Amino acid sequence: MKIDVDECRAALTLIRRTIEDHCPPGVLSSEEMVNGLYGLDLMGEAQAIAAAIVATVERLQLPVKPPAPSIKA
């Protein structure tokens, strides 16, 4: 099955807009910056989106605190 380039572009645009609306600011580079860093092709946009997802997960992970020591009498 072959997927149309326009459909791929529309899907990536939907994912980009969702990340921009719901993820921490700055995790996804602007479209212009992505074009400069990764190139103009769809894989460049996909790479930037993947990096944004990883950055979001890293920011949302809570640091693990050791359990408080128990006081025994």
Side-chain angles (χ1 to χ4, degrees), residues 2-54:
K2 192 165 187 169
I3 300 174
D4 182 56
V5 171
D6 291 333
E7 289 180 11
C8 289
R9 192 173 310 282
L12 289 173
T13 298
L14 174 64
I15 296 167
R16 168 177 275 283
R17 300 297 173 246
T18 302
I19 289 173
E20 290 172 343
D21 290 345
H22 298 283
C23 292
V27 296
L28 181 59
S29 301
S30 70
E31 292 178 67
E32 295 81 17
M33 187 174 235
V34 169
N35 292 340
L37 291 171
Y38 299 102
L40 298 172
D41 63 347
L42 296 176
M43 286 305 294
E45 180 71 3
Q47 286 177 301
I49 289 171
I53 292 169
V54 170

